[in-house]
């Protein structure tokens, strides 16, 4: 996956495509099957696209010459006539599914989940919920337990990805249409429309590829600390769980159960803290509102665009045309989101450890393995960095876990979990730096405030009745 924020970086090139593969020019020029240029947009990866290689436009632009340029762009406009939101989610879904079908780097192919695996996952989640009853005051949040293939994970999580990514893509899409002076926009309408469609295609391509890669590595629906799947549905991916535990030397049943504990703990939190989902997704939207896209490179490209050299657009993209500026709004939203995610993951880590430490001999080893997976920049963190510019800080996860454990010792299970009753009661980033200070601070009690607000509301209702 690209390290360029918002998915505008170009994906790595694929190796030669068999005996008829296209030799890639080190400078990025490439050659089509007919010896001509690979196409003005040849850098966009599209796994499994017809025409060979990773270029979705290869068949269209395989052997361009100046006389064919107009017809080629007309075809491109038809292909990218998408008029929906800022991301072409049909393309994203298609590419994600194609990426999944190609398998992971270790050669593992996706496969349907069999009855035995489904039964094993259901039993693991049932037992996990039983154990969690003694580790948290929050009741079960998983109405059902399912075992997903990688393709099923893609299908089930796309709505959440759309909610996460659309606000960021919308800001970039608006910038793409605003690079020309207003008096020129009417004259350049077709070009602006094409650019916006290209923006949707670019986002769709990159997001689809990122989601497809992530589908090969996640073990459940909450690996990124957000509720990506349907509410109340605990989900595990047996194929990925097997790959996760391949070299750990831990029995497969223990690994499945430990991961079921984590999935079930996430489900409890998101089911019984009603404001949490909107709080997290709202932080992403707040980040999007703070984006100020630097369009100077885009203006240069549009102003100097030469129809005889459409590859200029590709070159500009490779140079990071859409690097966003850091703004105070962005920094505040990212800090808010990072802290909230750390608190979620820290709570899950602490609760699962409490539930598993005296029951699973491998609990400590599995806990440390998952922590190191995060610390090494695992797939979840890299996907966030690619799509919305967010990188989780593993130090915050460990600090949050220690804070929740200290709260359990000082206030008990009910006192710890009671902090989720209101967002203002949660620890802040400063509290993660001084957990002891937070643990022993006088506890805030919102019950009196709630009572006063209720009485005030009743008083207003009474006044309205008298009238």
């Amino acid at each position: 996956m690209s390290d360029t924020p918002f998915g505008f970086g170009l994906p790595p090139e694929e190796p030669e495509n068999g005996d008829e593969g296209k030799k890639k020019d080190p400078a990025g020029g490439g050659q089509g099957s007919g010896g001509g240029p690979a196409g003005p947009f040849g850098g966009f990866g599209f796994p499994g696209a017809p025409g060979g290689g990773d270029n979705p436009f290869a068949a269209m632009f395989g052997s361009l010459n100046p006389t064919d340029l107009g017809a080629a762009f007309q075809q491109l406009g038809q292909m990218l006539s998408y008029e929906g939101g800022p991301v072409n989610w049909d393309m994203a879904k298609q590419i994600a599914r194609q990426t999944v079908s190609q398998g992971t780097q270790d050669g593992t192919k996706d496969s349907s989940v069999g009855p035995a695996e489904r039964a094993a996952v259901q039993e693991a989640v049932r037992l996990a919920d039983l154990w969690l009853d003694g580790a948290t005051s929050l009741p079960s949040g998983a109405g059902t337990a399912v075992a997903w293939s990688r393709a099923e994970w893609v299908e089930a999580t796309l709505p959440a990805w759309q909610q996460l990514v659309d606000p960021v893509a919308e800001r970039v899409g608006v910038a793409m249409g605003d690079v020309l002076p207003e008096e020129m926009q009417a004259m350049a309408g077709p070009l602006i429309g094409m650019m916006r469609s290209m923006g949707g295609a670019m986002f769709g391509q990159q997001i689809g590829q990122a989601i497809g890669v992530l589908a090969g590595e996640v073990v459940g629906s909450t690996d990124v600390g957000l509720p990506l799947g349907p509410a109340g549905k605990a989900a595990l991916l047996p194929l990925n769980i097997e790959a996760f535990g391949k070299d750990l030397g831990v029995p497969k049943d223990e690994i499945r159960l430990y991961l079921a504990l984590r999935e079930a703990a996430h489900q409890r939190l998101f089911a019984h803290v009603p404001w949490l989902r909107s709080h997290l997704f709202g932080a992403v939207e707040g980040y999007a509102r703070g984006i100020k896209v630097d369009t100077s490179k885009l203006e240069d490209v549009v102003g100097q665009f030469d129809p005889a050299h459409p590859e200029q657009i590709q070159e500009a993209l490779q140079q990071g045309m859409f690097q966003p500026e850091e703004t105070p709004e962005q920094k505040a939203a990212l800090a808010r989101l990072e802290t909230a995610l750390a608190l979620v993951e820290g709570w899950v880590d602490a609760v699962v450890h409490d539930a598993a430490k005296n029951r699973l001999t491998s609990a400590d080893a599995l806990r440390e393995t998952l922590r190191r997976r995060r610390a090494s920049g695992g797939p979840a963190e890299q996907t966030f960095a690619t799509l919305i510019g967010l990188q989780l800080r593993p130090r915050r996860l460990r600090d949050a876990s220690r804070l929740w454990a200290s709260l359990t010792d000082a206030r008990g299970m009910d006192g710890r979990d009671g902090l989720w009753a209101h967002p203002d009661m949660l620890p802040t980033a400063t509290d993660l730096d001084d957990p002891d200070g937070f643990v022993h601070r006088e506890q805030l009690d919102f019950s009196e405030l709630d009572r006063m607000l209720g009485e005030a509301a009743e008083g207003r209702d009474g006044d309205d009745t008298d009238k």
Side-chain angles (χ1 to χ4, degrees), residues 147-170:
W148 283 341
S149 66
R150 294 166 179 170
E152 288 173 320
W153 182 89
V154 169
E155 294 280 353
T157 62
L158 270 178
W161 289 116
Q162 186 171 353
Q163 187 175 353
L164 280 168
V165 177
D166 269 353
V168 179
E170 179 66 35

Side-chain angles (χ1 to χ4, degrees), residues 174-258:
V174 170
M176 293 179 73
D178 292 343
V179 295
L180 292 178
E182 185 175 352
E183 61 273 12
M184 294 180 60
Q185 290 189 14
M187 298 173 58
L191 176 59
I192 293 174
M194 187 192 76
M195 290 169 62
R196 285 178 173 169
S197 295
M198 281 297 300
M202 287 185 292
F203 262 113
Q205 184 273 330
Q206 288 284 352
I207 292 167
Q209 188 178 49
I211 293 174
V213 171
L214 188 58
E217 301 185 34
V218 294
V219 295
S221 71
T222 54
D223 281 31
V224 299
L226 290 171
L228 295 179
K233 185 173 289 187
L236 295 176
L237 283 72
L239 182 61
N240 292 355
I241 290 175
E242 184 173 351
F244 170 79
K246 185 177 180 181
D247 299 319
L248 295 182
V250 177
K252 182 178 178 179
D253 290 346
E254 287 200 20
I255 295 174
R256 184 194 301 114
L257 183 51
Y258 190 84

